[in-house]
Amino acid sequence: MGVRVVDGPTVVDHQDGAAGAVAGQGGVAGEVAVMVSRLAELSAVVEDDAARVDVLAGLERLKAAAAAAQFEVMVRFAESQRAARRGMGFAERHALRGVPEQIGLATRTSPSSAARQLGRARALRCDLPGTFALLRRGEISEFAATVVVDETSHLDPELRRRVDARLAGEVVGIGVRRVRGLARRYAIEADPAAAVTRASRARTDRRVSIRPAPDTMTVFSALLPCEQGVAAYAALRRHADGVIAAGGDERSRDQIMADTLVERVTGQATANAVSAEIGLVMTDTSLLGGNGGAGGSGGGEAAELLGYGPIPAETARDIARRAADRRAGDHHDRDDHDRDNHDRDNHDHGDDVGRARVFLRRLFTDPAAGIITDCDPKRRRFDGTLARLLTYRDGGMCRDPFCDAPIRHFDHIYPYTHGGPTTPANGRGTCARGNYVKQMPGWTIRLVDPYRHIVETTTPTGHRYTSQPPPAPGHRAGAQPRAGS
């Protein structure tokens, strides 16, 4: 997703570096911008290897000190916003709403990450003064300070300060793993009962997650109680050992375990039979193969797998071939209603066992704007096909700048209550908190470029940030708009 930061009269692009940020900024922000600009020159100034090592060490301390300064500013900003909100009549439980979102936009992180950072900043500043002082002086890293915060999070403030005092003289000059061990040991000794409660509470945090990995792979993981994780892994390994012992299977043990996991979780007969709608977005030339090669009409294009990202067009075609339904051709020309009925009618047919059903959706992209612009059929609500269109266009992730959370809501940019239409141009996918925060005083959202669907967010402090969808398959940089666009 493209993101641009517009800060008052200053426009800062990710690609522009620090030089553009210096102009138009004054005060402390201007000083920081000058420091960033100066850092870019250091590598050319230092020519001696011994001096380079000294500079590396100094920069590491600078990183830590900068993190401490950032934490301090976060806490002061949150306190100021809270006081302002209480003055406006907000209840205490709502006084910090929108603060993590503003911090996230400023630090180029998601609102959830910013909220966690704010929590750590408050813990360091209020409950862990010794650790915070070490961070300010650059004697420990931000990672080490974060470890101390996390390992003492279950203690009350007074006990936390005692552990902090013990750690202050021992964490300098040791690795993060040893810092974690010391912090955990001292926290257990400070309050054994709280440590037991923490371990019990951690079981409520069990979850499953997925993240992209290189080469069209994903990491599918689960955070489980220790005995459950060990039992699940052992069961997969026993099954794989049995398959290998029986002979006739050329897969490795790891491959068998991975395939068995997919089969048992999905209920499929084989791991390749993905019987679900796959968000596979590609142009017609990519789907049909084009002329092949980087210079061909489709061979050099990338397809988009929703929830993962770009994949080679040939890989996308292979997914479609392996998992194609015997009636995929008929499905292509049916509308959603008829197709869904057809799928239900054929769900129990024996010859479909072990095979996947791939739904090919007609998604139209503008090669010049580089976004998905329409789909078939059209609807007037953000559900059904229209919701799928917004999901595909926005890459399945919240459209707020720097937020990587999955789409949970479909939002009218110009409010529906004010007459805003329910159209692709006036819609965007957001996470839940991204949709709610725009209802807070001082927040505005507007569409500034309908052609590229660039949306501008203005925060209560007057800072402006823009975002646009990720480039769609088939996008050609520098292409001219289609007639009528």
Side-chain angles (χ1 to χ4, degrees):
M1 179 185 300
V3 179
R4 200 179 195 211
V5 182
V6 186
D7 184 3
T10 303
V11 178
V12 183
D13 273 307
H14 278 196
Q15 299 86 353
D16 289 344
V22 177
Q25 291 190 2
V28 176
E31 292 181 23
V32 172
V34 171
M35 293 178 192
V36 173
S37 181
R38 174 62 178 152
L39 285 174
E41 304 169 2
L42 284 180
S43 61
V45 174
V46 182
E47 298 181 356
D48 177 74
D49 282 349
R52 288 191 178 101
V53 171
D54 291 337
V55 170
L56 285 175
L59 289 173
E60 192 62 28
R61 296 187 66 177
L62 181 61
K63 282 167 55 180
Q70 193 175 56
F71 287 156
E72 180 75 29
V73 172
M74 283 183 190
V75 174
R76 291 182 181 273
F77 175 71
E79 290 174 348
S80 175
Q81 290 283 296
R82 171 185 278 158
R85 296 286 173 77
R86 284 191 298 215
M88 296 168 62
F90 279 79
E92 177 61 30
R93 67 180 183 277
H94 296 152
L96 286 178
R97 279 191 178 177
V99 171
E101 284 74 11
Q102 294 185 70
I103 291 174
L105 289 169
T107 59
R108 301 177 180 180
T109 56
S110 70
S112 297
S113 295
R116 290 192 293 270
Q117 282 287 79
L118 177 58
R120 294 183 184 118
R122 295 173 69 179
L124 284 166
R125 187 170 180 265
C126 301
D127 300 334
L128 300 165
T131 302
F132 195 35
L134 293 174
L135 184 64
R136 275 178 162 166
R137 295 195 298 269
E139 296 185 42
I140 62 172
S141 67
E142 179 183 358
F143 189 16
T146 297
V147 164
V148 174
V149 172
D150 293 344
E151 293 297 337
T152 61
S153 61
H154 59 291
L155 300 177
D156 64 54
E158 179 58 33
L159 290 176
R160 209 173 194 183
R161 281 188 282 272
R162 291 182 190 175
V163 171
D164 177 62
R166 292 185 66 184
L167 287 170
E170 300 185 41
V171 295
V172 176
I174 64 175
V176 172
R177 185 171 181 177
R178 290 182 61 189
V179 171
R180 185 184 300 278
L182 285 173
R184 184 174 298 173
R185 178 186 302 168
Y186 294 163
I188 292 173
E189 292 173 356
D191 192 341
V196 173
T197 301
R198 171 177 174 151
S200 300
R201 189 170 60 244
R203 290 173 174 256
T204 66
D205 295 329
R206 58 190 183 276
R207 59 184 178 273
V208 175
S209 61
I210 187 171
R211 69 178 185 273
D215 304 322
T216 68
M217 302 294 283
T218 58
V219 177
F220 176 75
S221 60
L223 180 66
L224 301 170
C226 58
E227 72 280 4
Q228 294 179 15
V230 170
Y233 184 85
L236 291 172
R237 188 175 180 88
R238 281 195 304 271
H239 175 77
D241 290 342
V243 172
I244 292 173
D249 197 314
E250 297 181 353
R251 294 175 297 171
S252 69
R253 176 179 285 102
D254 287 343
Q255 291 172 338
I256 295 172
M257 291 174 66
D259 292 347
T260 303
L261 173 65
V262 173
E263 291 160 7
R264 291 184 177 179
V265 170
T266 63
Q268 299 166 188
T270 64
N272 285 335
V274 183
S275 297
E277 179 177 333
I278 303 173
L280 189 60
V281 184
M282 54 200 303
T283 64
D284 54 352
T285 51
S286 289
L287 176 64
L288 300 177
N291 293 328
S297 61
E301 293 180 359
E304 189 84 10
L305 185 62
L306 189 65
Y308 177 83
I311 62 174
E314 180 58 36
T315 301
R317 289 193 293 271
D318 188 51
I319 292 173
R321 280 195 298 265
R322 288 200 318 264
D325 186 88
R326 60 189 178 88
R327 293 192 176 183
D330 292 336
H331 291 173
H332 184 75
D333 292 323
R334 288 194 180 92
D335 62 23
D336 281 359
H337 177 74
D338 290 343
R339 180 174 54 219
D340 290 345
N341 285 339
H342 172 83
D343 290 334
R344 283 193 296 269
D345 292 341
N346 289 279
H347 180 73
D348 294 326
H349 284 193
D351 55 0
D352 283 340
V353 174
R355 304 190 62 186
R357 296 178 299 280
V358 174
F359 301 158
L360 302 179
R361 299 199 175 276
R362 289 178 284 181
L363 299 170
F364 304 114
T365 69
D366 186 330
I371 62 173
I372 298 172
T373 57
D374 208 348
C375 67
D376 177 39
K378 297 180 180 178
R379 297 184 182 179
R380 297 295 297 174
R381 300 175 57 192
F382 290 142
D383 60 7
T385 301
L386 185 52
R388 295 188 186 100
L389 166 64
L390 297 185
T391 300
Y392 291 139
R393 185 198 66 193
D394 294 342
M397 292 185 293
C398 176
R399 273 291 302 279
D400 282 341
F402 312 114
C403 185
D404 296 329
I407 291 175
R408 298 299 183 211
H409 293 183
F410 296 102
D411 177 38
H412 290 77
I413 298 171
Y414 187 72
Y416 176 80
T417 54
H418 295 170
T422 306
T423 61
N426 194 46
R428 64 177 190 140
T430 69
C431 63
R433 70 186 301 162
N435 190 23
Y436 295 142
V437 74
K438 85 169 218 179
Q439 312 299 329
M440 299 291 292
W443 289 83
T444 60
I445 310 291
R446 69 189 185 103
L447 184 67
V448 296
D449 185 345
Y451 175 56
R452 292 178 175 82
H453 206 262
I454 298 177
V455 178
E456 181 184 82
T457 299
T458 304
T459 70
T461 57
H463 292 79
R464 291 174 291 149
Y465 306 82
T466 64
S467 71
Q468 65 186 84
H475 170 52
R476 299 190 299 273
Q480 297 299 312
R482 295 182 306 183
S485 291

